[in-house]
Amino acid sequence: MHKRYLFAPGPTSVPPEISLELAKPVLHHREPQFIAILAEVRDGLKYLFQTSNEVIILSASGTGAMEAAVANLFSPGDRVLVVTGGKFGERWAEICRAYGVEVATVDVPWGEAVDPITVKAALDSDPSIRGVCVQACETSTGAAQDVRALGDIVRAYPHALLIVDAVSALGAMELRTDEWGLDVVVAGSQKAMMLPPGLAFIALSERAWQRAAQATLPRYYFDLQKIGSELAENDHPYTLPTSLVVALREALRRLQAEGLEHIVKRHRQLAAATRAAMRALGLSLLASKAPSDSLTVVRVPEGIDGGRIPKLLQEHFNITIVGGQDRLRGKVFRLAHMGYVDAFDIVTMVAAVEFALHRLGYPVVWGTGVRAAQEVLAQPID
Ligand SMILES: Cc1ncc(COP(=O)(O)O)c(C=O)c1O
């Protein structure tokens, strides 16, 4: 018998109280009980996103909300600046191109964050740019972008919107949509929101809503204006996955009860402990200069087949971690610490990495990583 541990950067593990919500009888999406739940969820989402605007709920995974952003905010031939430094940055570019939106890129090496000044220079040199697309946390590399600094820059360009993929950041890292001037924030249920996959979210600023009213790319299912006007009446044009929304209410209640400030500090500590553990084991981190607090991406030591680390943990211990994607395949492994994660999950995860490395012939002094993690986790959070 092996207990199951899900330490992937999405889907992540779901607290039992939230899973139990999913087991309740299915509600109809227009019955009074569900309408009341939707009203509560709308408020909770505004809190989580730190916005006073409506947060649109979509039946989709995170990519659906990314696509909705592009389809609703641009017109054919518009030019968009995409920060690419990983797989999900590249996804922004792919979606834009699929919709006939011209893409200019700011390429940063995988594992690094963009220098916001580079974005400013790109906006200055090309006044036709209508949007800047970026990841708050680039899940393929573990790098965090300084979206707050980008917000300060982009808000000075009236024709450019800042579009932030916060799929793996929201609910783990500080993100203040309105205050930081983020025009569009995209999220998904299966990361730090502690829910199964299936829901995606998108928040739009005033200027983004104005743009949506003028933009002419085709859209139907993801017509945000249509969905937004119905949500404002606690309705939705299509059948929402009602059980997921019921579970979302529970997740939002938990997030509100802990409070965003504490959530951010907790993730900061979990991330710091994970990084300290990996370094103590002599491993190096991919995004060492701008690490996210949602996940840690670790370079596979020389001479070890990186793909074997997640495989071994899955087969021997029923522990799910993931390896690298695309050009990082076999070169890194990724340890997530977002959402329903506590200190003992980190201890377990680090101990598991020690086991895997040992089995693969890497010299491990037992407990070196665990001890380093504990030293960080022993510090009070507040
Ligand atoms: C930063 C980021 N953006 C977008 C996505 C895509 O989300 P999904 O797989 O839910 O479509 C992910 C998923 O891993 C992600 O981490």
Side-chain angles (χ1 to χ4, degrees):
M1 193 282 281
H2 279 304
K3 207 167 158 184
R4 164 136 183 74
Y5 294 96
L6 183 53
F7 296 139
T12 61
S13 71
V14 173
E17 296 82 355
I18 294 179
S19 296
L20 284 172
E21 293 295 311
L22 292 162
K24 289 181 174 172
V26 174
L27 296 179
H28 187 274
H29 55 293
R30 297 208 168 92
E31 69 176 274
Q33 201 185 335
F34 185 73
I35 289 171
I37 290 170
L38 194 54
E40 185 181 335
V41 158
R42 287 174 52 221
D43 283 343
L45 286 171
K46 286 178 186 167
Y47 170 75
L48 177 61
F49 280 73
Q50 294 285 286
T51 181
S52 58
N53 291 308
E54 192 74 49
V55 179
I56 305 300
I57 307 171
L58 303 171
S59 309
S61 72
T63 308
M66 293 172 77
E67 177 156 345
V70 172
N72 281 267
L73 298 169
F74 299 113
S75 301
D78 274 356
R79 272 177 75 72
V80 170
L81 187 68
V82 177
V83 177
T84 59
K87 188 147 182 64
F88 296 103
E90 289 180 353
R91 187 166 298 178
W92 273 134
E94 286 164 12
I95 297 171
C96 287
R97 290 191 186 108
Y99 273 87
V101 172
E102 280 183 32
V103 174
T105 57
V106 175
D107 300 317
V108 291
W110 283 40
E112 288 183 22
V114 70
D115 181 347
I117 295 301
T118 324
V119 171
K120 184 174 184 328
L123 287 167
D124 284 337
S125 72
D126 187 348
S128 69
I129 285 172
R130 307 272 287 157
V132 176
C133 294
V134 69
Q135 268 61 39
C137 165
E138 173 51 78
T139 322
S140 60
T141 66
Q145 301 288 357
D146 189 349
V147 289
R148 183 182 195 165
L150 291 172
D152 282 341
I153 288 171
V154 179
R155 73 167 100 211
Y157 296 80
H159 302 298
L161 299 173
L162 178 57
I163 302 168
V164 178
D165 166 0
V167 168
S168 61
L170 191 81
M173 292 158 62
E174 189 177 21
L175 195 121
R176 298 175 180 271
T177 302
D178 289 359
E179 196 183 314
W180 293 0
L182 314 180
D183 291 300
V184 179
V185 175
V186 164
S189 53
Q190 79 276 22
K191 311 271 178 174
M193 290 177 75
M194 304 181 290
L195 289 162
L199 289 174
F201 307 92
I202 178 164
L204 270 66
S205 68
E206 275 308 317
R207 37 185 221 150
W209 280 116
Q210 283 163 15
R211 174 74 72 78
Q214 297 154 3
T216 59
L217 278 177
R219 63 199 85 131
Y220 185 82
Y221 187 67
F222 289 143
D223 183 337
L224 298 179
Q225 284 180 291
K226 182 155 76 179
I227 302 173
S229 62
E230 297 214 13
L231 264 183
E233 308 292 325
N234 296 318
D235 202 351
H236 199 285
Y238 315 113
T239 311
L240 276 170
T242 49
S243 300
L244 274 175
V245 175
V246 172
L248 169 62
R249 174 180 63 169
E250 182 61 26
L252 290 167
R253 282 180 176 175
R254 287 175 68 102
L255 288 161
Q256 282 171 288
E258 183 176 354
L260 282 175
E261 204 180 323
H262 192 269
I263 289 170
V264 166
K265 286 180 183 167
R266 173 167 58 84
H267 282 86
R268 207 172 279 159
Q269 187 183 53
L270 298 172
T274 308
R275 293 194 287 262
M278 294 303 116
R279 288 195 177 113
L281 286 166
L283 304 176
S284 72
L285 308 179
L286 185 68
S288 53
K289 282 194 227 138
S292 82
D293 289 337
S294 300
L295 80 159
T296 296
V297 181
V298 188
R299 284 202 176 86
V300 172
E302 212 45 46
I304 288 184
D305 172 3
R308 289 188 65 197
I309 298 173
K311 215 163 162 239
L312 199 146
L313 290 180
Q314 192 74 64
E315 280 169 13
H316 290 268
F317 302 112
N318 206 13
I319 290 176
T320 306
I321 66 160
V322 295
Q325 295 163 288
D326 212 316
R327 68 180 80 162
L328 291 175
R329 191 172 297 278
K331 297 186 179 142
V332 298
F333 58 93
R334 295 181 291 155
L335 305 172
H337 28 73
M338 63 179 116
Y340 185 50
V341 179
D342 72 3
F344 294 98
D345 290 316
I346 302 299
V347 168
T348 302
M349 186 164 69
V350 171
V353 170
E354 291 188 6
F355 272 116
L357 292 173
H358 173 76
R359 289 216 182 191
L360 295 172
Y362 181 81
V364 171
V365 177
W366 292 121
T368 307
V370 169
R371 181 192 177 113
Q374 283 179 303
E375 277 167 7
V376 175
L377 296 166
Q379 306 296 322
I381 285 188
D382 283 308

